[in-house]
Amino acid sequence: MALSKPFLKWVFVCLVILFAHTTCNAFYLPGSYMHTYSPREPIFAKVNSLTSIETELPFSYYSLPYCEPQEGVKKSAENLGELLMGDQIDNSPYRFRMNVNETVYLCTTPPLKENEVKLLKQRTRDLYQVNMILDNLPAMRYSRQNDVSIQWTGYPVGFTQNNNDDYIINHLKFKVLVHEYEGSGVEIIGTGEEGMGVISTDADKKKASGFEIVGFEVVPCSVKHDPEALSKRKMYDNIGGVTCPSELDKSQIIREREKVSFTYDVEFVKSDIRWPSRWDAYLKMEGARVHWFSILNSVMVIFFLAGIVFVIFLRTVRRDLTRYEELDKESQAQMNEELSGWKLVVGDVFREPNCPKLLCVMVGDGVQILGMAIVTIVFAAFGFLSPASRGMLLTGMIVLYLFLGIAAGYVGVRLWRTLKGTSEGWKSVSWSVACFFSGIVFAILTALNFILWGSKSTGAIPISLYFLLLFLWFCVSVPLTLLGGLLGTRAEAIQYPVRTNQIPREIPARKYPSWLLVLGAGTLPFGTLFIELFFILTSIWLGRFYYVFGFLLIVLLLLVIVCAEVSVVLTYMHLCVEDWQWWWKAFFASGSVALYVFLYSINYLVFDLKSLSGPVSAILYLGYSLIMAFAIMLATGTIGFLMSFYFVHYLFSSVKID
């Protein structure tokens, strides 16, 4: 155990750096911490990256000629997940005073230059949205299309009319919903979006009371101000009421040498919405009834089909075993000569598969990914990953993935020992487990990052974050995987129940290749998740909130059951036709669902993401979809392989062998 001390030292140092980087954005239940404001207390809004469902390339808010705060632009502390998602949260000049309704002047830009006009027009026509945040709540906008109210987060940079002119949004009408809070001997001090707070319970202190923000709505409009008159005013000067015009000639056109004045008005409205419920408006899933029905229908169909197949399968195997065990030794020998089936491959069923090291590596990485997914979804289903904590879902997944390197190394090396009968080469297997999936993902992300760098997008991973990810990979994940491999060498080896013949048995020729059956088997697991996959893709690429993790947990459990059943059934079918090369087929029988996931992603790109434009956006989409499909292949393949291995081991343990 001399290696354990360096490992622990590395892990301790890396944990300190990791948690220092992620600041204090810990898990918290929605509504657990609140900030109460006293009347006239100043509240400053923040701005996130500009986003578009057409390009999927985020850009900095201040890349456009907007008003800057008096104290200068300052970035907010961001966690690892936010940086990877392309979020760039900055302070903004939008200042509100609690319960003070006012119309405020911000600034007037210098005459627009040619490059600024070109950029504004491009962002407008690419449907870019400004994402504003107040007290950790995103700005919400309502619009009506075909008499249906549609909810959006953020507001557009501008709009284009039929005459090919572009107009900038330069006046915002804010509505802030507040709920009056009455304290009862408890005072909340210094709370904020980080979810940290100090609570004082001094009974002698005055009851804390104030207002909590429970809603943030915005109505954007374009107004042509008189820049000469407004330029004499200072920032935050009150001006007369501003009305959103319906005529285009009273809107602010985007044109060279035009001066643009920015203004806003704010109205505070008392609401009965309480703090724990303030996120409900954002987390509503459209078509909830269809969502429920679709999931329930999938569950019933899959359980029905899988149940029938599994019952038939159990009865068949039980009958074969019963008949085989009731015979004496001479009859068994005669039966082996006369009958065909899984009993004839008893001397070859545990023969070493092709590419055994790659199989061990893929199973080890699959255990790591599957464990990360299960723990993350369970935490999210119980409400510990709030949407208010931006980026924490991704951060939590990365941290879990790092620590589950122990499980990956252990499973990979123990399977290697089982196949080879020796621990020799376990370090190479452990290193491969640590670098296989992570290396492929890192290579794809690097290629995509060059595209983002070339587009000057905030979605590009900074160089500092690259070094941090490399540090976490080689100084946390790799040592933990090696530690898991070391534990795997010291675990009790899995003993085969039968001996393997020296000469391999010839596999009978088949009319159709067995890989067709393996690829077709992936349709059954795909049927359990494609509906939820649609909602997840919509959440990622169309800017919707996804928070139905209870559904996702049910689908995940169902997927695990179906993958295990499908793989076991196909393994039994291959053994029945004397095909003893079941190892890889068991893996891909359930892992082939990834092929259908990737094809469905392409279908979603063509038919549902019609607004996505340009080859850059398509390459980004396909790159991220490829990573998702690869991770699903490893996780589902591992489920099928481990269940098939257990089944084959149990099946041949039940057979009497001399």
Side-chain angles (χ1 to χ4, degrees), residues 378-511:
V378 167
F379 269 85
F382 284 99
F384 289 100
L385 294 176
S386 167
S389 299
R390 280 175 299 276
M392 282 312 300
L393 181 65
L394 186 55
T395 304
M397 290 173 66
I398 293 173
V399 172
L400 284 170
Y401 181 83
L402 293 174
F403 282 99
L404 286 171
I406 294 180
Y410 175 83
V411 173
V413 170
R414 193 171 186 196
L415 180 59
W416 173 258
R417 285 187 64 200
T418 302
L419 296 177
K420 291 292 186 179
T422 177
S423 298
E424 186 178 353
W426 72 271
K427 290 183 180 179
S428 174
V429 173
S430 298
W431 269 98
S432 299
V433 169
C435 298
F436 179 68
F437 176 71
S438 302
I440 292 175
V441 171
F442 198 81
I444 295 175
L445 288 179
T446 301
L448 297 179
N449 210 50
F450 278 116
I451 297 175
L452 293 170
W453 271 334
S455 303
K456 298 181 180 179
S457 169
T458 59
I461 301 175
I463 292 294
S464 59
L465 184 57
Y466 250 100
F467 284 111
L468 175 66
L469 292 175
L470 287 171
F471 182 80
L472 293 176
W473 181 8
F474 287 103
C475 300
V476 176
S477 181
V478 171
L480 288 177
T481 306
L482 289 171
L483 177 60
L486 179 64
L487 296 176
T489 61
R490 302 189 177 188
E492 184 179 353
I494 300 175
Q495 301 295 329
Y496 293 145
V498 294
R499 294 189 299 270
T500 301
N501 297 334
Q502 291 184 353
I503 301 176
R505 182 185 183 88
E506 184 179 355
I507 299 175
R510 301 184 64 181
K511 188 175 181 180

Side-chain angles (χ1 to χ4, degrees), residues 47 107 138 232 357 407 473:
V47 287
C107 75
K232 299 177 182 177
K357 182 178 178 181
W473 181 8

Side-chain angles (χ1 to χ4, degrees), residues 125 159-167 248:
R125 299 188 181 189
F159 60 91
T160 305
Q161 288 301 322
N162 296 330
N163 57 7
N164 211 31
D165 287 331
D166 300 289
Y167 299 85
L248 287 177

Side-chain angles (χ1 to χ4, degrees), residues 88-195:
Q88 181 177 312
I89 302 176
D90 302 315
N91 59 337
S92 82
Y94 289 92
R95 184 205 67 183
F96 309 140
R97 292 181 292 177
M98 177 56 70
N99 276 348
V100 177
N101 299 338
E102 55 186 347
T103 303
V104 178
Y105 165 75
L106 273 184
C107 75
T108 299
T109 67
L112 294 178
K113 301 175 184 177
E114 180 183 357
N115 62 321
E116 293 175 329
V117 170
K118 184 178 179 181
L119 191 59
L120 277 170
K121 284 179 172 287
Q122 182 180 348
R123 297 288 183 265
T124 298
R125 299 188 181 189
D126 286 340
L127 303 182
Y128 269 87
Q129 301 277 321
V130 178
N131 300 291
M132 195 169 288
I133 304 165
L134 183 68
D135 194 42
N136 212 28
L137 281 180
M140 185 186 296
R141 173 173 59 93
Y142 294 95
S143 62
R144 295 195 67 82
Q145 292 182 7
N146 300 326
D147 295 328
V148 177
S149 180
I150 301 177
Q151 171 186 314
W152 304 89
T153 53
Y155 61 90
V157 169
F159 60 91
T160 305
Q161 288 301 322
N162 296 330
N163 57 7
N164 211 31
D165 287 331
D166 300 289
Y167 299 85
I168 188 173
I169 299 297
N170 63 335
H171 181 77
L172 302 173
K173 302 176 75 69
F174 294 106
K175 180 191 288 186
V176 181
L177 305 181
V178 295
H179 181 81
E180 191 166 4
Y181 173 78
E182 293 290 344
S184 55
V186 177
E187 184 178 3
I188 298 180
I189 308 170
T191 58
E193 71 176 26
E194 288 78 13

Side-chain angles (χ1 to χ4, degrees), residues 19 22 27 95 123 183 234 292 318 351 356 387 406 418 462 507 553 561:
F19 286 109
T22 57
F27 299 125
R95 184 205 67 183
R123 297 288 183 265
K234 296 180 180 179
W292 273 100
R318 186 175 297 174
R351 189 176 301 281
I406 294 180
T418 302
I507 299 175
L553 181 60
I561 295 171

